Amino acid sequence: MKYDGMCSIFGMVLNGIVKEKIADKNVRKDIKKCYKEIVLRAKDIGGSKNNLLSSYLLAAYFIAMNRVDKLTLEENIDIMEQGMRKSKIIKTFMGNSDGYFSEKKMAFRREWSTKTHERKFENNWVVDVVEKSDDFEFGLDYTECGVCKLCRDENCFEYAKYLCRLDYMLVEIMGLGLRRTMTLADGDDKCDFRFLKTGGKL
């Protein structure tokens, strides 16, 4: 995968996010170096045209953290979550619930789902859109996951389930709710995301 400006900027943002808990700048420098090496090894998923590129890069950074800073997986995911919750950049990037359930957004998701089934990129996600039901606004069923694939490629598949935990926090930042009963990282057949207008995890 090409290490372009987007990858570099994302690495700098994440280095800033973990700075409070990982104060040693040399450790952060080594994490960023390891992150770059992982990105360069990673299979291409379509670059910035892939709307889940940030998730792929986040996984690369988390893998790098665990290879460099000598902390536990639990400690590192807590560092990442706490830092992301405080980050104005992340809040701006995630946006809010305005228009999230609009028909325009849904049309985009349906088109995106169709493209993922072409499997143009080996490490891409494959997703099906689940239309609105009585108890959720819409759903996404992921039958293949780029994060899981990258972790498997890097011989650390067990890391993926920790990264799954960040989904709830990111949805919460947007002022939405998420219900999920299964994940590929836990060995299930799919990840069943169900999005709710009211914040909270059900």
Side-chain angles (χ1 to χ4, degrees), residues 132-138 179 194-197 202:
K132 183 175 180 176
S133 179
D134 290 341
D135 60 345
F136 59 85
E137 294 302 312
F138 79 95
R179 183 176 72 232
R194 299 296 182 265
F195 295 94
L196 316 164
K197 280 188 176 178
L202 301 181

Side-chain angles (χ1 to χ4, degrees), residues 77-122:
I77 203 66
D78 284 346
I79 288 170
M80 189 166 275
E81 180 174 353
Q82 290 172 30
M84 292 175 80
R85 281 187 182 279
K86 295 177 182 179
S87 171
K88 292 181 180 178
I89 294 175
I90 294 297
K91 288 178 181 177
T92 300
F93 177 77
M94 292 304 299
N96 55 43
S97 60
D98 292 347
Y100 196 72
F101 303 111
S102 70
E103 181 51 38
K104 183 177 179 180
K105 287 275 190 180
M106 290 305 299
F108 169 81
R109 293 180 184 111
R110 294 182 195 106
E111 181 181 353
W112 166 55
S113 170
T114 299
K115 288 180 179 178
T116 68
H117 281 272
E118 295 172 1
R119 291 178 168 81
K120 184 177 179 181
F121 299 100
E122 182 181 350

Side-chain angles (χ1 to χ4, degrees), residues 59-76:
Y61 192 90
F62 184 66
I63 294 168
M65 285 178 71
N66 286 284
R67 290 183 176 166
V68 172
D69 68 14
K70 309 304 180 186
L71 300 174
T72 66
L73 287 164
E74 192 69 42
E75 287 171 326
N76 276 326

Side-chain angles (χ1 to χ4, degrees), residues 23 27 29-30 34 43-44 46 51 53 68 87 91 95 101 126 157 169 175 181-182 188-190:
V27 173
K29 182 179 178 181
D30 288 344
C34 183
K43 296 183 178 80
D44 185 25
N51 61 321
L53 174 63
V68 172
S87 171
K91 288 178 181 177
F101 303 111
V126 177
F157 184 77
M169 177 268 297
T181 65
M182 59 184 82
D188 297 309
D189 293 333
K190 63 183 178 182

